[in-house]
Amino acid sequence: MDFTSPAGPNPIDRQIAVGRATSRVDGPLKVTGTAPYAYERHDVAPRQAYGYVVGSSIAKGRVTGIDTAAAKAAPGVVGIITTLDYKPAEPPARQAANLFGGDEISHYHQAVALVVAETFEQARAAAQLVDVRYDKSAGRFDLAAEAAAAKPAVDINEGEDAKIYDRLGDFDAAFAAAPVQVDASYTTPHQTHAMIEPHASIAAWQDGKLTVWTSTQMVGWTRTGLAKILGLPEPDVRIVSPFIGGGFGGKLYLRADALLAAYAAKALDRPVKVTLQRPLIINNGTHRSATIQRIRLGAGRDGRLTAIGHVGVSGNLPGGAPEAAVAPTKLLYAAPNRDMYLTLAELDLGEANDMRAPGEAPGLMALEMAMDELAEKLGMDPVELRILNDTQTDPRDPNRTFSERHLVECLRTGAERFGWSRRNPKPGSVRDGKWLVGMGVAAGIRLNLLMPSAARIRLETDGTLTVETDMTDIGTGSYTILAQTAAEMMGVPVEAVTVRLGDSAFPKAAGSGGQWGANNATSGLYAACVKLREAVATTFGMRGNDVDFSGGMVTAGGRSVPLAEAARAGPLVGQDGIAYGDLDKTYVQATFAGQFAEVGVDGFTGEVRMRRMLQVVDAGRVLNPLTARSQVIGAMTMGVGGALMEALAVDPRYGLFINHDLGGYEVPVHADIPHQEVIILDYPDPVSSPMKAKGIGEIGLCGAAAAVANAVYNATGVRVRDYPITLDRHLDHLPTVS
Amino acid sequence: MKPFTYERAKSPAEAVQAVTSTPGARFIAGGTNLLDLMKLQIDAPTHLVDVRGLPFTTIEDTQDGGLRIGALVTNTDLASHPRVKRDYGVLSRAIVAGATGQLRNKATTGGNLLQRNRCPYFYNTDMPCNKRRPGSGCAALEGVSRSLAVIGTSDNCIAQNPGDMAVALRLLDADIEVLGPSGRTHTLPISEFHRLPGDTPERDFALGNGELITGVKLPPPLGGTHHYHKVRDRASYAFAIVSVAAVLQKDGSGRVAFGSVAPKPWRVQEAEALLPQGPSAVTDRAFQDARPTNDNRFKIALAERTLALVIDEGRR
C-alpha cells in the first residue's frame, strides 16, 4: 500500500479494539518466566556449546600474538577462535566498529578471542588463560581535550544537508543586538543503555545456511549486516528474535555476540551460544556519546526569540556518526536567525551510537535548561516563554507546516494539572523541613519517522487469525497493538488473533527503534488486513468497498456471513506492506511533550530526590493507553537517571569506561521514582499513516531530564550545567548548616 | 571462576580444621561478596567450606545486659530483632540502609563484616591494583576516585570500606568472637578488626588463616537517640558516598562514626568528644589528616553536613 495522501475515514476510526486499554498479550509469558529469550533457546539446536568473549585489555594498538595453549588444555574447552584467524569485519551500515578480526585494536574490550566450552563456567575459567600480547599505542579518550580538533559532521538522519541546514538569517548580528542573551555551555556524559537482558545469540549452521537466535531490535538490519560480513546471500541467514529484554537502541545493530557465535559455530561445527558479559556491553557494545554543547539565545524584552545558536560536539570512532544534539532545536522554537551545527571528535572509546531519543535527549537537556535561564533573565514564566515562541511551521520553511502540533496544549494542560501557579519563581526560596523544594518545566519534541513495514495475516480454518511479521517487541507492547490492529480491521476480538514476531522468514517490518515501531508496524499490518478483507469479500462475492467487518461477521448489501466461513476451503492470506510517499517532506511530523517535575534537595547533604512528575504528550492516536503510558513513565524514569545519576566515567589514561557494571553505573531504582502522572492528548494524525498514530517510545524522554534539572535549580538557586546533577556539583553552594 | 571443591562443615572445629589444612581454602556463608569476586577471578579459592550449618544462628541476651549475635544471623533477621530495634537502633537502621532485601536475606553478620573494600580498579582485572595484585600499583590514586577513601589511605591503596552494618558496630564498640586453629575462641575489639592498607593493602582484616568469626557481642545499650544517615546518589541499592552513625545524648555528648570515607569504619574518639561544640569541630578533628583526591574532596564537607543533619535530627 502506498501511503501518499492523508488518511480518510477508515475501520481503525471505530476504535473497538484499537485505542482500548488492553493488557499485554505476552504478559502471562513474561510473568511466568516462559517467554523464551535468546540465551534460553536450549530447545532449538542440539549440543550447544558456550562461548565466552575475551576483550582487549588495551584501548589502542595491535595484537602481536595470542597464546591459547593453556586455555585449550583447560577442562571442557571445545575450541578457541581468535581475532588473528579472521579478516577485520567491515562495519555494517550505520556502524563504525570492527566487531572481530585482524590485529588492530581500536577500543578497550574489542573482542580478541572467543573461548568455547561445554559449560559457561568452563569457558569463563579458560578465558582467563588466554594470553594476548599487545603493542600499545596512544589513544584519544577525553572529549573536552579533542573537541578543538572536531570537524563539522553530518546528522545521518538528515543527510549531507545537515552540515549547513540550519544557518538562517544573520545569527551573529541578531544575537549581538538582542537585549536579553543567554550564552552558556552544557555537558552531558557518556551513557549506557543498561537494558536488563544482555546481548545474546545462538548460532547454528546447516547445509551452509545459518540460523541465529538473538536479541535484536532490527531483524532485517542484523540479517543484512551478518550476511555481508559472512559473505552469504541474505536468504541463507535466518534471524529469530521473538522476545527481547529491553534494548533502548543498544540492540539496533549487529554486535559481536552474533558474529562470534556464527564464526565459532562454523569453525567448531556445532551450535554455539554467546552473551556479552555486562562489562563488554558497556565497553564493547555501543554507548551514547558525551556531548559538549554551546547554546546562545537572543531575545527581545518581550521574550520573543530573535536568535538561536546551538553547537554540539560529540565523539566517536573514525567513520561513526555524531550525537545529533541540535536536532530538536531546529524545530522547537521560532526565531528568524539561527546557527546550528554538529561537530564530531574522533575518540577511541568504542562505538557511540543510538540510544533512546538520540540527539533529542542530550540536546534538550541543554536547550531546555538554556530556556529556563532565559526565562529567569527576562523575569518571565518559563511556561509562557515556551508558549510565546511556539511555531506552527518549520522555522526553515514557512510553507511547511506541522501535520499536528499541540505543544502549547501540552504545556497549558500540564501547568494546570501540576499546579504550576504555586511555583515560586525565586529560586532557593521554598522549604519543606530540611528539603529545598523546586519545580521545573521543559518542552519536548521528537520526529515521527516513517519506515516501510510489511506483514502477513492469515485467516485460519477455525476462524482465528495469525499475524506474521519480523517486527520486534522489545518490551514495548508490539504484540498487543498488532493484535488490536488485526482485531479492529477484521472485526474479531483481540483473543482471536495470534501474533508471531521476530523471524526473518516473516515479511520485513520496520523493527523497533527511533519510536517508529508502533506506527509503522501497525500500518504495515493494516495494509495486509486490507488485502485479506478483499480476499474475504471476493470469497463471499461481496463488493470490496462497502463490506463491513465486525463482531465476527462480514456484512454487505444486507447479507451477513461469519468471517470464519471464508476459510472453510483453506486458510486465506493477506500480505502487504506500507510504503510512504513524501508526506514527511510536505509536513513536519513530530511528537511533543510538556514535562513537569518537582524535586526536593536535602538542605544538608545536597541529595536530590524526586517528589512528583507529570508529562502531557501529543503523539497522534493512542493505540493502547496502557502500553503507551508504560512507554512514557519508563522514559520519564530514564530522564531522572540522565538528570541525576547516569554517567559512564572515562579513565583517559587507560581509555575505558571504568564503571562498567550495574553496580558502578547507577540507574534509578523504584525508591527514586515518585508519583508519575501521564496525560496523553488524543489528536489522530491523518498525515502520519492510516493508523493516524505516531511514535510514543521516545518523546517521553525528550525534555524529561531538563525539567528535573530546572526543578533542582528552582530548589537551590545553583545552576549546574554539567549532567548528571549529583550532590557534589552543588554542595559547596548550598546554604551553610552549622 | 576457577574450579573448586566444596564441603559443608559439621562443626566449628571441623570448619576451622578444613580451612587450615587445605591450602587456598576459604569459608563461605551467604556468599554475597565472595561469589562476585570468584566470578571475576579476583579471588580464586581452591576449596570452599560452607559454614551455614553451624550453630551460630541465634541472638541472645548477655549477662551484662548486652547482646550476642551469632555469626550466621542474617542481616534481615538482625535488623528486625526486637531488642536490636529497641536498644541498638543505629544497627538496625544501618543494616536496612544497605544492599537490597534479597541480599540482606542471604548476607550474614560474620560475612558482612568481611566484605572486601571497594574500588573500581580492584574490580577490573586489567587494571593495576595493589589490593588484588600486590606491587602492581594503584590505578585509583590518579584515576576515577569519587567514591573512594579520603583518610586512612596510603600511597598503595585508597579503596574504601563501603559497609553500613560495620559502621554501626564500630560505633557500638562491638567485640568480634573468633575461633582459631588452636581451638580457642578469642575476642577482637572491632576497632582492631579492620586494617588500614599501609604497605599491605591486600589484607583488609586482622584475621589469620583459618580464623572463623563465630559471633559479635554488643556491650550494654547506650541509651540516647540513634541515627544512621546514608548519603547516596540514588535512594536505594547503592553504596554510601558518606554515612554517619551516631548515638546522641541529651547533654550534647555522644558517639559518631563515618562510613565510606576510609578503608575502615572511621571513628575518632578525640573528635566525637567535641560533639558539644558542633559538627564542624568534630569533622575538623576526625578528618584532620585527610588526603583526599580532587574527585572525592567533597566528602569531607559532606561528612560535616551529614553530621549536622544527624545532630539536627537528634534535637527534634
Side-chain angles (χ1 to χ4, degrees):
Chain A
M1 175 183 286
D2 287 325
F3 186 76
T4 53
S5 57
N10 68 38
I12 300 296
D13 296 333
R14 298 185 299 187
Q15 304 231 69
I16 297 165
V18 169
R20 288 291 172 95
T22 305
S23 291
R24 298 256 294 262
V25 299
D26 52 328
L29 289 177
K30 298 285 176 69
V31 299
T32 57
T34 50
Y37 289 88
Y39 204 70
E40 305 165 339
R41 299 303 297 270
H42 314 292
D43 55 314
V44 294
R47 295 178 67 235
Q48 295 174 17
Y50 292 77
Y52 194 88
V53 185
V54 179
S56 167
S57 64
I58 68 163
K60 187 82 181 156
R62 281 181 56 248
V63 176
T64 57
I66 302 180
D67 182 352
T68 59
K72 274 190 175 140
V77 171
V78 176
I80 297 171
I81 60 171
T82 82
T83 191
L84 300 178
D85 308 333
Y86 293 84
K87 283 189 312 219
E90 181 72 20
R94 308 170 202 87
Q95 298 189 224
N98 163 25
L99 296 176
F100 195 62
D103 66 350
E104 192 187 336
I105 296 298
S106 52
H107 63 88
Y108 179 73
H109 268 175
Q110 180 177 321
V112 293
L114 184 79
V115 178
V116 183
E118 297 291 348
T119 70
F120 174 79
E121 288 75 13
Q122 289 170 330
R124 183 175 59 188
Q128 298 275 347
L129 301 172
V130 176
D131 183 19
V132 186
R133 292 179 302 281
Y134 300 96
D135 183 7
K136 202 169 154 184
S137 52
R140 301 152 296 179
F141 308 111
D142 180 358
L143 179 61
E146 302 301 326
K151 297 191 174 59
V154 176
D155 173 0
I156 57 169
N157 290 317
E158 294 202 27
E160 193 60 26
D161 285 347
K163 268 192 284 196
I164 51 165
Y165 202 58
D166 219 14
R167 290 199 175 139
L168 223 63
D170 186 341
F171 171 81
D172 290 336
F175 181 72
V180 184
Q181 299 174 339
V182 168
D183 181 352
S185 285
Y186 306 84
T187 66
T188 63
H190 301 284
Q191 295 180 327
T192 180
H193 307 82
M195 62 288 182
I196 289 293
E197 185 206 19
H199 300 269
S201 296
I202 299 171
W205 293 82
Q206 194 163 21
D207 305 327
K209 296 183 180 182
L210 173 68
T211 303
V212 182
W213 294 265
T214 189
S215 182
T216 179
Q217 299 173 222
M218 300 295 292
V219 166
W221 289 4
T222 300
R223 175 156 88 157
T224 302
L226 197 53
K228 197 173 162 213
I229 293 174
L230 297 172
L232 292 173
E234 281 199 33
D236 288 358
V237 177
R238 181 174 165 214
I239 302 294
V240 186
S241 188
F243 295 102
I244 296 120
F248 308 115
K251 294 176 183 163
L252 282 168
Y253 304 107
L254 177 70
R255 301 311 308 169
D257 57 309
L259 181 60
L260 289 168
Y263 275 152
K266 177 120 187 165
L268 303 173
D269 197 24
R270 65 186 278 191
V272 171
K273 65 160 73 175
V274 177
T275 186
L276 292 187
Q277 306 94 273
R278 182 64 63 176
L280 271 84
I281 293 175
I282 290 173
N283 276 297
N284 175 301
T286 60
H287 62 275
R288 190 205 297 280
S289 173
T291 67
I292 302 169
Q293 302 176 49
R294 183 186 182 194
I295 293 187
R296 287 177 291 172
L297 303 175
R301 296 207 186 280
D302 61 354
R304 213 168 281 280
L305 285 163
T306 55
I308 304 177
H310 190 170
V311 183
V313 61
S314 61
N316 210 339
L317 292 171
E323 181 70 30
V326 307
T329 315
K330 292 177 176 181
L331 293 163
L332 191 49
Y333 300 117
N337 304 288
R338 313 167 77 87
D339 182 20
M340 297 162 201
Y341 61 96
L342 297 169
T343 64
L344 180 60
E346 290 193 352
L347 290 181
D348 304 304
L349 278 174
E351 180 172 327
N353 217 319
D354 296 323
M355 181 167 147
R356 200 176 195 179
E360 275 85 355
L364 289 165
M365 286 162 88
L367 175 66
E368 286 299 283
M369 190 185 287
M371 286 295 282
D372 203 57
E373 300 194 50
L374 181 64
E376 186 177 32
K377 285 194 172 181
L378 288 160
M380 204 170 164
D381 184 278
V383 171
E384 295 304 323
L385 175 66
R386 288 170 171 88
I387 289 171
L388 178 70
N389 287 291
D390 183 58
T391 177
Q392 291 294 316
T393 61
D394 181 346
R396 301 165 294 196
D397 179 359
N399 296 317
R400 185 176 179 233
T401 61
F402 285 83
S403 56
E404 294 281 339
R405 175 170 168 138
H406 305 279
L407 175 62
V408 170
E409 187 177 336
C410 289
L411 291 164
R412 288 230 186 277
T413 303
E416 191 190 318
R417 292 285 287 269
F418 199 66
W420 182 254
S421 60
R422 295 197 301 274
R423 171 182 176 267
N424 188 329
K426 188 167 176 288
S429 54
V430 177
R431 279 254 180 193
D432 177 7
K434 70 173 182 176
W435 297 98
L436 307 166
V437 180
M439 290 163 69
V441 65
I445 181 172
R446 170 77 175 139
L447 288 176
N448 179 58
L449 301 176
L450 303 178
M451 303 266 284
S453 193
R456 177 165 59 225
I457 181 165
R458 193 166 55 243
L459 178 63
E460 310 285 4
T461 50
D462 63 0
T464 63
L465 293 162
T466 304
V467 173
E468 291 172 336
T469 159
D470 84 355
M471 179 61 191
T472 51
D473 186 326
I474 62 171
T476 42
S478 306
Y479 278 104
T480 311
I481 56 172
L482 288 167
Q484 290 173 268
T485 301
E488 191 75 80
M489 290 297 287
M490 303 312 297
V492 300
V494 169
E495 296 74 33
V497 183
T498 300
V499 180
R500 300 176 64 199
L501 299 182
D503 188 330
S504 61
F506 299 152
K508 188 171 176 179
S512 300
Q515 76 169 6
W516 65 60
N519 179 46
N520 294 302
T522 55
S523 295
L525 177 57
Y526 174 97
C529 289
V530 168
K531 283 276 195 282
L532 180 59
R533 286 164 64 112
E534 288 167 5
V536 169
T538 304
T539 304
F540 293 149
M542 296 172 174
R543 285 205 316 119
N545 282 344
D546 300 327
V547 186
D548 176 72
F549 290 71
S550 52
M553 303 297 288
V554 185
T555 306
R559 184 159 70 99
S560 248
V561 189
L563 174 66
E565 293 283 310
R568 193 191 288 173
L572 273 187
V573 174
Q575 180 168 339
D576 198 4
I578 192 89
Y580 297 95
D582 58 2
L583 284 174
D584 59 338
K585 296 185 178 61
T586 317
Y587 299 89
V588 193
Q589 296 185 26
T591 57
F592 303 91
Q595 307 265 8
F596 294 81
E598 182 178 302
V599 303
V601 178
D602 188 311
F604 290 92
T605 66
E607 290 164 285
V608 182
R609 298 289 182 254
M610 302 305 303
R611 288 163 72 102
R612 291 190 297 141
M613 301 180 85
L614 165 69
Q615 180 167 172
V616 186
V617 189
D618 168 26
R621 166 174 282 152
V622 178
L623 301 175
N624 180 344
L626 273 183
T627 53
R629 178 177 184 278
S630 290
Q631 284 297 298
V632 177
I633 62 172
M636 291 159 85
T637 303
M638 209 167 194
V640 172
L644 301 181
M645 62 192 81
E646 288 185 46
L648 287 170
V650 178
D651 187 327
R653 300 167 307 163
Y654 299 100
L656 78 166
F657 301 124
I658 188 70
N659 55 338
H660 60 189
D661 56 36
L662 295 180
Y665 184 88
E666 291 183 9
V667 298
V669 294
H670 285 97
D672 291 302
I673 301 304
H675 180 68
Q676 294 175 319
E677 189 177 354
V678 179
I679 299 168
I680 305 180
L681 305 180
D682 190 16
Y683 286 105
D685 189 338
V687 169
S688 164
S689 75
M691 299 301 292
K692 304 173 188 174
K694 291 191 284 200
I696 200 163
E698 298 188 335
I699 181 61
L701 179 57
C702 298
V708 174
N710 292 337
V712 173
Y713 174 74
N714 182 243
T716 62
V718 183
R719 182 68 74 179
V720 178
R721 299 186 182 86
D722 301 300
Y723 289 94
I725 306 176
T726 49
L727 63 95
D728 40 320
R729 306 257 198 212
H730 56 209
L731 192 67
D732 285 350
H733 306 282
L734 296 182
T736 54
V737 293
S738 44
Chain B
M1 188 182 279
K2 282 189 176 167
F4 58 90
T5 50
Y6 170 90
E7 71 173 284
R8 282 174 189 269
K10 294 188 184 64
S11 72
E14 188 186 299
V16 169
Q17 168 65 21
V19 168
T20 312
S21 63
T22 318
R26 300 282 305 276
F27 299 116
I28 185 167
T32 56
N33 189 202
L34 181 61
L35 291 176
D36 282 349
L37 297 169
M38 287 170 65
K39 288 174 187 171
L40 294 165
Q41 241 164 274
I42 294 166
D43 205 341
T46 57
H47 183 65
L48 288 183
V49 178
D50 191 334
V51 298
R52 278 176 297 182
L54 303 185
F56 307 136
T57 56
T58 55
I59 301 175
E60 292 156 358
D61 295 341
T62 58
Q63 286 191 336
D64 65 0
L67 211 57
R68 185 190 175 280
I69 303 153
L72 291 168
V73 172
T74 66
N75 280 179
T76 299
D77 288 345
L78 181 55
S80 58
H81 189 271
R83 265 213 73 195
V84 174
K85 287 167 79 171
R86 191 185 74 208
D87 293 336
Y88 305 97
V90 63
L91 177 58
S92 185
R93 282 169 205 160
I95 291 170
V96 297
T100 63
Q102 293 93 327
L103 284 165
R104 294 195 296 270
N105 288 341
K106 289 295 282 182
T108 63
T109 306
N112 186 303
L113 272 170
L114 289 168
Q115 72 171 311
R116 299 298 308 272
N117 285 357
R118 285 195 84 89
C119 172
Y121 298 92
F122 176 62
Y123 273 87
N124 184 332
T125 51
D126 290 333
M127 296 289 114
C129 171
N130 290 320
K131 183 181 288 298
R132 178 166 31 78
R133 207 162 63 232
S136 61
C138 174
L141 279 174
E142 308 277 326
V144 175
S145 57
R146 178 174 178 265
S147 62
L148 302 179
V150 296
I151 193 163
T153 56
S154 74
D155 288 342
N156 296 305
C157 184
I158 60 171
Q160 97 279 20
N161 182 298
D164 294 300
M165 185 191 79
V167 185
L169 292 180
R170 176 69 187 89
L171 186 87
L172 295 168
D173 275 334
D175 280 326
I176 317 296
E177 284 182 2
V178 178
L179 175 66
S182 67
R184 275 200 298 275
T185 297
H186 68 280
T187 61
L188 197 60
I190 191 166
S191 58
E192 295 171 19
F193 178 76
H194 298 88
R195 296 181 72 258
L196 292 179
D199 294 331
T200 52
E202 68 276 16
R203 289 189 63 202
D204 289 344
F205 310 103
L207 281 187
N209 184 41
E211 289 193 321
L212 175 67
I213 298 176
T214 56
V216 172
K217 276 200 299 202
L218 300 182
L222 297 168
T225 58
H226 286 227
H227 308 267
Y228 189 78
H229 195 92
K230 179 174 180 175
V231 180
R232 43 188 158 179
D233 288 325
R234 67 180 175 191
S236 180
Y237 198 17
F239 291 106
I241 303 171
V242 162
S243 69
V244 172
V247 172
L248 302 176
Q249 307 296 345
K250 280 214 173 69
D251 63 2
S253 69
R255 295 184 184 186
V256 58
F258 300 91
S260 281
V261 295
K264 63 180 193 177
W266 197 248
R267 179 171 169 215
V268 177
Q269 264 134 319
E270 296 83 355
E272 73 188 16
L274 302 174
L275 266 171
Q277 296 176 36
S280 60
V282 175
T283 53
D284 284 355
R285 177 66 187 83
F287 294 96
Q288 70 176 10
D289 299 321
R291 296 200 314 165
T293 65
N294 284 334
D295 270 8
N296 66 22
R297 193 174 307 278
F298 74 97
K299 283 191 173 195
I300 299 170
L302 180 60
E304 180 190 331
R305 297 180 72 102
T306 309
L307 178 58
L309 165 61
V310 162
I311 292 171
D312 187 65
E313 273 175 9
R315 289 196 189 114
R316 284 166 199 274

